[in-house]
Amino acid sequence: MISSKQDYKNYILADKKANHINDFYHNRLMITWKYLKCMRRLEYVVNCKHGFLAKILKTWLKFRLYKLSVKSGLTIPVNTFGKGLYIAHHGAVIVNPTARFGDNCVIQNGVNISEKVNGGNHIYLGTGAKILIGVCLADDVIVGANAVVTKSVEIPNIVVAGIPAKKISDNGYRNRLSV
């Protein structure tokens, strides 16, 4: 959670690195990057700024985030993901405001995350994945495409897939990073 201006800068740098943003032209075209920057700015204002001007800025940023949400199909509330969030594609990503995830997560399009979901660091959510109410995901878990996770995944560094989701491999996110 962003708690200072330096945290805000660190989050933006980590998100920029995760989303492979390195030049001006690429930066202007990516709707997901615009959404992510606006979301992080709103997080900073909500968590760190107080007073009348902050209230006006917060209202303007909420409106801007809403417009970007309609344009991109992304609905990711503030303070739900740690730094280094990678949004691979725009379109139909819905996250409940009570969900909490760690750093360096990847979200594909078509993902739905229910309320009170907790996820660790390095979580990969495949296209169309559904995470149901109260599920906890350990660190380095990959959720396969169109999987429906109905129970908590407490074993780190595994792959789950299917309906309902079951462990299918021991080669989780940690092994993916070393490839």
Side-chain angles (χ1 to χ4, degrees), residues 87-101:
I87 303 170
H89 305 285
H90 58 75
V93 173
I94 300 172
V95 179
N96 189 284
T98 60
R100 296 292 178 265
F101 284 83

Side-chain angles (χ1 to χ4, degrees), residues 10-179:
N10 291 339
Y11 271 61
I12 288 293
L13 286 175
D15 291 343
K16 196 177 221 184
K17 183 179 177 187
N19 286 278
H20 311 292
I21 305 298
N22 54 9
D23 63 355
F24 180 74
Y25 179 74
H26 195 49
N27 182 0
R28 288 178 42 130
L29 294 179
M30 287 188 60
I31 187 71
T32 57
W33 176 239
K34 288 179 184 179
Y35 183 90
L36 198 52
K37 280 194 318 186
C38 184
M39 182 186 78
R40 295 303 189 191
R41 179 76 173 159
L42 181 58
E43 280 182 28
Y44 171 67
V45 171
V46 165
N47 296 340
C48 301
K49 298 291 183 182
H50 307 288
F52 180 71
L53 292 176
K55 198 179 268 190
I56 292 171
L57 181 58
K58 185 174 14 173
T59 303
W60 179 75
L61 286 169
K62 282 182 179 179
F63 175 72
R64 186 164 173 228
L65 190 66
Y66 171 75
K67 287 187 71 155
L68 287 169
S69 177
V70 169
K71 194 173 186 180
S72 67
L74 301 172
T75 306
I76 304 172
V78 297
N79 297 320
T80 53
F81 283 91
K83 61 186 168 190
L85 176 63
Y86 175 51
I87 303 170
H89 305 285
H90 58 75
V93 173
I94 300 172
V95 179
N96 189 284
T98 60
R100 296 292 178 265
F101 284 83
D103 297 339
N104 302 312
C105 294
V106 177
I107 300 179
Q108 297 287 341
N109 60 337
V111 171
N112 288 323
I113 301 173
S114 298
E115 61 188 77
K116 298 177 185 168
V117 171
N118 289 316
N121 297 323
H122 302 285
I123 303 292
Y124 182 96
L125 302 172
T127 302
K130 313 294 186 263
I131 316 293
L132 299 185
I133 297 173
V135 168
C136 293
L137 301 173
D139 290 343
D140 305 307
V141 170
I142 295 176
V143 178
N146 294 317
V148 179
V149 183
T150 58
K151 296 180 183 172
S152 293
V153 178
E154 297 173 1
I155 304 168
N157 198 38
I158 64 170
V159 179
V160 296
I163 303 173
K166 296 176 189 155
K167 175 182 166 185
I168 62 167
S169 173
D170 288 323
N171 295 327
Y173 201 101
R174 198 174 314 144
N175 297 7
R176 181 178 173 265
L177 291 175
S178 63
V179 173

